[in-house]
Amino acid sequence: DYDALEIFSRYEKLYTMDFFENSAKKLIAFIKNRTEFPEADYLSGCVYQLEGEYSVAEQLFLKAFEFSSILDVPDEKYDILYSLADISFTKKNFEKYEEYLVLIISQDKAFKDNRLIDAMKSTIRSDKSDCMEKFFLMYRTENFRLLNAYFLLSEYYQEKNEKDRALTTAALGALTGFSKVYDVVSKRNPEFEYAGLSSLFIEACKYTDIVEWGIKNNVWKGFNDFAENTFKNECPVFAVKLYTVLKEHSPEEYWRAEASVRLDVITAAVKR
């Protein structure tokens, strides 16, 4: 009886009785249907992955994803998909690697909004001197769990020389990183006034944890990759403007130096 009450109490705390319409029968029926435990499958898969048993790990991850609808923490499905992508990359199954990463970013409304994508590219391709600042002023994306998927896909498409796809994913990745940093900075300093991308970077550098988060999640690298992709897609004005800001204010020294080198190369190419 105590065990039964503990189980009831657990699901009541997780979902509240409103979820079960205050019906004991519906609560019991719900529990009976939960015969799979995707969290356990995922953790087991992680152990096998560490042991180098990639095929076994992959099967456990696939099983966990199959039952991801009953995860106690719904966003854990992203972790499962990232793990599947990681194993596919290790096994050099690049078709599956791309498939899993696309499955992750397909959860983003922005990625599926063709009109938004077209508008973003129109801004990027503009010859006006304010095109770069206008891009970060006009657009936002907020599903921060997708950051790495965007950056990984951008690198993948660059290697395949799929310039347009690389630009799309790089743009959405940089924009997602920008939106996250802006959101955190604004909450920490209510008096912060956005006055261009450089102002955000300057403010972000005041917080060590934000800089470290950007390093860990490849955000600062993502901005440089975005700038490079704009240049490769023949958007020199945007590339020069973005690299100029990154050269002076990117929160990570390595990417400031890289931006400086690339800016010199691009400027010389544009003059020719």
Side-chain angles (χ1 to χ4, degrees):
D1 290 344
Y2 282 116
D3 289 342
L5 286 170
E6 188 178 341
I7 293 169
F8 289 153
S9 178
R10 178 173 180 271
Y11 284 107
E12 184 181 0
K13 287 178 182 177
L14 276 173
Y15 297 98
T16 76
M17 284 305 293
D18 288 338
F19 179 81
F20 304 105
E21 298 176 1
N22 293 304
S23 168
K25 286 184 178 179
K26 289 187 176 181
L27 170 58
I28 293 169
F30 179 83
I31 294 170
K32 283 182 177 179
N33 286 329
R34 290 177 69 87
T35 56
E36 298 292 339
F37 297 93
E39 290 89 352
D41 290 328
Y42 178 61
L43 287 173
S44 298
C46 290
V47 172
Y48 279 104
Q49 186 178 15
L50 288 170
E51 293 289 330
E53 298 284 349
Y54 299 120
S55 295
V56 178
E58 186 176 24
Q59 291 306 310
L60 286 164
F61 290 150
L62 285 169
K63 186 181 178 185
F65 183 66
E66 181 183 354
F67 294 99
S68 59
S69 61
I70 61 172
L71 285 165
D72 287 337
V73 181
D75 275 2
E76 197 172 346
K77 68 182 177 184
Y78 293 123
D79 297 327
I80 297 169
L81 286 169
Y82 275 119
S83 294
L84 282 165
D86 187 39
I87 282 184
S88 297
F89 187 84
T90 301
K91 295 173 71 175
K92 300 188 185 305
N93 188 342
F94 299 117
E95 209 171 286
K96 280 291 182 182
Y97 174 71
E98 179 188 4
E99 182 183 318
Y100 290 130
L101 291 176
V102 170
L103 199 54
I104 294 171
I105 65 173
S106 65
Q107 308 297 313
D108 193 354
K109 292 179 181 177
F111 176 71
K112 295 185 286 187
D113 189 339
N114 291 328
R115 286 189 296 180
L116 173 64
I117 300 296
D118 289 342
M120 286 169 55
K121 287 181 179 176
S122 178
T123 303
I124 292 168
R125 293 188 175 114
S126 172
D127 292 330
K128 294 182 179 179
S129 60
D130 64 344
C131 61
M132 187 274 291
E133 293 294 0
K134 188 175 287 186
F135 176 84
F136 289 106
L137 198 62
M138 291 174 61
Y139 308 109
R140 291 287 183 276
T141 53
E142 297 179 352
N143 197 332
F144 309 127
R145 294 296 299 271
L146 312 184
L147 259 176
N148 282 319
Y150 278 128
F151 292 144
L152 290 170
L153 270 173
S154 178
E155 290 181 3
Y156 175 72
Y157 290 137
Q158 283 183 68
E159 290 176 6
K160 292 184 67 180
N161 201 33
E162 295 187 26
K163 296 179 182 179
D164 189 62
R165 283 183 168 185
L167 177 62
T168 299
T169 47
L172 286 167
L175 195 60
T176 303
F178 170 89
S179 300
K180 177 65 173 179
V181 174
Y182 179 84
D183 181 61
V184 174
V185 163
S186 299
K187 287 177 180 175
R188 292 200 182 172
N189 181 9
E191 295 181 3
F192 169 70
E193 291 185 10
Y194 181 78
L197 185 60
S198 58
S199 70
L200 182 66
F201 284 153
I202 291 170
E203 185 68 22
C205 285
K206 296 177 182 178
Y207 306 97
T208 305
D209 60 328
I210 294 178
V211 176
E212 289 299 320
W213 173 84
I215 294 171
K216 182 180 178 182
N217 291 278
N218 292 315
V219 174
W220 316 131
K221 176 183 181 297
F223 277 101
N224 284 53
D225 286 348
F226 179 33
E228 188 64 21
N229 274 290
T230 60
F231 178 66
K232 288 181 177 178
N233 277 268
E234 300 178 0
C235 310
V237 175
F238 195 103
V240 168
K241 293 293 181 182
L242 181 52
Y243 266 134
T244 299
V245 172
L246 296 172
K247 171 188 174 182
E248 299 294 333
H249 302 292
S250 179
E252 189 175 8
E253 184 179 355
Y254 177 87
W255 296 110
R256 286 199 301 274
E258 200 260 3
S260 179
V261 172
R262 290 303 299 153
L263 182 60
D264 289 342
V265 172
I266 289 171
T267 303
V270 170
K271 287 181 179 177
R272 286 202 301 269

